[in-house]
Amino acid sequence: MSGKARASRGRGVPRLGRYALRAASLAVALGVWQLLTSLDIDLWLRFSQFPTVADVARTFADRLSGPDYWTDLTDSLTRILTGFLLAAVLGVAAGVLVARSRLAEDLLGPVLEVVRPIPAIALVPVAILLFPSNEQGIVFITFTAAFFPVLVSTRHAVRALTPGWEEAVLTMGGGRWRILASVVLPGALPGIFGGLSVGIGVSWICVISAEMISGQYGVGYRTWQDYTVVNYAGVFVGMVTIGVLGWLTSTAVELLGRRLTRWLPRTSYVAAGRPARRVNRAAAAVPMRPTTQEGVPHDQLV
């Protein structure tokens, strides 16, 4: 067996083991849930009020066969993607602008810092009064929820860049736009995607809450309707749907971030639990020059 095949096989076995461990942890959690609810355990927590895993699974199967579930899914995804994409574009632009311009920081900084601590869900009355339709108001709530994490992470990432990179571009005759394209945005990408990952999660929280208050259709709206008619199995179907959708969208953002920052060094974890930095194959392929005990290459000795 070649060295490359052995290496790929060695990487595959631990990966399969990790996936099996994750599946086992999920299965154990579901098993504990089924056990506590089926036995009506009431100690300090009242598990007798919970539906069992089997009840939720049956309700989930019934919802999948009907059109309302897919309509709710489509509406929630449309709202979350519209608001999140707007927040991603405007948040990155505002973060770069505030970090690079003192005038923008003086003009926009105070307003943004005053509005930022306000929870996005608290802006639901403002959205109802401001926008002519509930749909536009829900998108506004989703946008506001994701905008500030993206803004803050972008601002900090841009300010943390090494000044020497910008000076190098200026030395080679580059202008402001060249610095922005070749230094600022690439260097700030890890921080930007950190804010995007946080923003997509906060957006799901706020869009579901907005749908519960003022929405028509959507996962949050349907979950609240199930609660009002005491259909607790339906409530858990909505919770599971929200969790899966949030996980899928967050994973998509993370995978996109990894692809766009492939030039960054990555760390992997060895069996002993110590982080080991991945070696650049191109650099590893370069033969080492023989040196003396003092570290001086032989071909440089006089």
Side-chain angles (χ1 to χ4, degrees):
M1 184 180 296
S2 64
K4 185 176 181 180
R6 286 196 300 268
S8 61
R9 182 179 178 182
R11 289 193 299 267
V13 173
R15 183 174 297 179
L16 291 176
R18 292 185 62 194
Y19 288 152
L21 183 61
R22 294 178 183 182
S25 67
L26 182 59
V28 169
L30 293 176
V32 172
W33 177 4
Q34 177 69 24
L35 181 65
L36 294 175
T37 53
S38 60
L39 296 179
D40 294 335
I41 301 297
D42 280 336
L43 296 175
W44 180 57
L45 301 174
R46 298 178 298 174
F47 291 101
S48 60
Q49 306 296 321
F50 271 39
T52 64
V53 177
D55 294 335
V56 175
R58 283 192 295 268
T59 304
F60 203 177
D62 293 339
R63 294 286 175 87
L64 290 176
S65 61
D68 290 341
Y69 181 82
W70 301 106
T71 301
D72 295 334
L73 206 64
T74 302
D75 287 350
S76 292
L77 281 174
T78 301
R79 293 162 178 167
I80 198 78
L81 291 179
T82 303
F84 177 72
L85 290 176
L86 287 174
V89 174
L90 297 180
V92 171
V96 173
L97 185 62
V98 171
R100 300 280 299 175
S101 172
R102 292 183 179 179
L103 178 61
E105 183 180 9
D106 293 336
L107 291 177
L108 300 178
V111 177
L112 295 174
E113 289 302 316
V114 169
V115 178
R116 184 165 67 93
I118 302 175
I121 194 61
L123 298 176
V124 169
V126 176
I128 294 175
L129 296 174
L130 187 62
F131 293 95
S133 68
N134 289 338
E135 194 70 23
Q136 296 172 355
I138 293 174
V139 172
F140 169 74
I141 296 300
T142 306
F143 161 78
T144 306
F147 174 78
F148 287 104
V150 177
L151 167 69
V152 173
S153 62
T154 301
R155 183 182 63 189
H156 287 303
V158 171
R159 288 177 176 173
L161 294 176
T162 302
W165 299 345
E166 181 175 346
E167 294 173 359
V169 176
L170 290 174
T171 302
M172 292 185 292
R176 180 176 300 177
W177 292 104
R178 181 66 176 177
I179 293 173
L180 181 65
S182 60
V183 174
V184 176
L185 291 179
L189 270 183
I192 291 174
F193 274 96
L196 291 175
S197 298
V198 175
I200 191 68
V202 179
S203 294
W204 272 111
I205 296 173
C206 292
V207 75
I208 295 302
S209 302
E211 287 177 350
M212 289 181 176
I213 297 174
S214 61
Q216 293 179 348
Y217 294 102
V219 180
Y221 171 81
R222 192 67 57 188
T223 302
W224 182 254
Q225 291 298 312
D226 288 330
Y227 173 75
T228 57
V229 298
V230 199
N231 181 12
Y232 294 128
V235 172
F236 275 86
V237 169
M239 293 170 60
V240 171
T241 302
I242 295 166
V244 172
L245 289 176
W247 171 66
L248 289 176
T249 51
S250 297
T251 302
V253 171
E254 182 178 353
L255 291 177
L256 178 61
R258 289 182 180 180
R259 180 168 293 274
L260 294 179
T261 59
R262 286 177 295 181
W263 46 272
L264 285 174
R266 306 292 182 184
T267 56
S268 58
Y269 292 89
V270 296
R274 296 187 300 272
R277 190 173 298 276
R278 296 179 183 176
V279 180
N280 191 322
R281 295 181 179 179
V286 178
M288 297 295 294
R289 301 166 63 186
T291 60
T292 63
Q293 292 182 354
E294 290 78 10
V296 180
H298 282 293
D299 55 3
Q300 294 184 6
L301 292 176
V302 179

